[in-house]
Amino acid sequence: MTLLINWLYQLTVSLGIPSYALAIILLTILVKVVLYPLTRIQMHSMIALQQLAPEIRKIQEKYKDKAMAQQKVMELYKERKVNPMAGCLLMLVQLPILIALYQALFNFPYIESAHATFFWVPNLSRPDPFFILPVLAGLTTFFQSKLTMPASNAGGAAPGAEQTQKIMLYFLPVFIGYISTKFAAGLALYWVIFNIMGIIQQYFINKQLPVVKAAAADEPATPVIEEVKDVEEKPREQRKKRRRSR
């Protein structure tokens, strides 16, 4: 991680804008691109769970015994080839990256320490003295979580699951914001940029996929893979049409 950050810093030097903060932002973009396949899996899982919500609600209403209802829900997941834990993959894979970045920044061998600043932050290896990045880390975590949650209540998810999601919606941002006040500002910067990119991506996914409305109306779910493909193919088709018109 240290070598990678210094290499990206040298890249900023060659561009005439030497900055370790910019190097960390470039690192974040690089990680986001590398993790895109996992992001796609997470997206598929989220859509599939949203589409299955009405059927899960029916199972819970039909089977009053919680153990039997859970068994039937798991059978439904298996039948539709949906992994409810797939959404956690992105967070789990990020943990080693965050740990490596934390350890690298803890006592970073800056080539030029004067370039290790970021606006109001005098040193990216030290906590943000004004707590601006920790607040942004908490807020962006909240908004990203919020964007992935709307459909959970629209289709009739389990009340227990809804309660857990609501707790996590408010607890996780506070926790992230708190630990960001203790860790290097560079780590908080990475988290903020990663979240902003995720928010933008999730906004367009939510805008283009009318899964929530379909689930709320109790309509038959369309195949998840085909729906995602349509979303990804539309921009390509539009670009091809523009090229032909030129």
Side-chain angles (χ1 to χ4, degrees), residues 151-207:
S152 62
N153 299 329
E162 288 182 14
Q163 189 64 26
T164 302
Q165 287 176 340
K166 286 179 181 178
I167 291 171
M168 289 304 295
L169 175 65
Y170 296 103
F171 171 76
L172 188 60
V174 172
F175 175 72
I176 293 296
Y178 173 74
I179 62 172
S180 295
T181 64
K182 308 295 183 182
F183 294 160
L187 192 63
L189 177 62
Y190 167 88
W191 190 258
V192 169
I193 299 300
F194 196 91
N195 281 348
I196 289 173
M197 294 176 69
I199 288 168
I200 295 170
Q201 183 182 46
Q202 195 63 50
Y203 170 78
F204 286 106
I205 290 170
N206 289 355
K207 191 175 180 180

Side-chain angles (χ1 to χ4, degrees), residues 139 202 217 220 236:
L139 287 175
Q202 195 63 50
R236 294 175 192 167

Side-chain angles (χ1 to χ4, degrees), residues 104-125:
L105 290 173
F106 185 72
N107 196 14
F108 197 87
Y110 293 109
I111 297 172
E112 179 53 68
S113 58
H115 298 155
T117 61
F118 177 72
F119 294 107
W120 63 91
V121 179
N123 192 313
L124 290 168
S125 291

Side-chain angles (χ1 to χ4, degrees), residues 119-141:
F119 294 107
W120 63 91
V121 179
N123 192 313
L124 290 168
S125 291
R126 303 288 177 265
D128 183 345
F130 299 104
F131 307 113
I132 296 173
L133 284 174
V135 169
L136 290 176
L139 287 175
T140 53
T141 300

Side-chain angles (χ1 to χ4, degrees), residues 1-54:
M1 183 62 72
T2 301
L3 290 172
L4 180 57
I5 293 173
N6 271 328
W7 180 80
L8 290 170
Y9 166 72
Q10 293 289 5
L11 180 61
T12 66
V13 171
S14 65
L15 293 173
I17 42 176
S19 169
Y20 274 100
L22 182 56
I24 291 174
I25 292 172
L26 292 175
L27 170 68
T28 310
I29 295 170
L30 180 63
V31 170
K32 189 70 176 175
V33 171
V34 171
L35 293 183
Y36 176 73
L38 286 181
T39 303
R40 201 164 180 271
I41 291 171
Q42 185 184 42
M43 180 177 68
H44 284 213
S45 174
M46 181 190 71
I47 296 165
L49 289 171
Q50 290 172 2
Q51 292 180 323
L52 290 179

Side-chain angles (χ1 to χ4, degrees), residues 220-240:
T222 53
V224 175
I225 301 300
E226 293 301 319
E227 189 128 11
V228 173
K229 277 186 178 178
D230 288 343
V231 172
E232 294 178 344
E233 289 297 331
K234 279 179 183 178
R236 294 175 192 167
E237 291 174 3
Q238 291 170 357
R239 285 196 296 269
K240 286 180 182 177

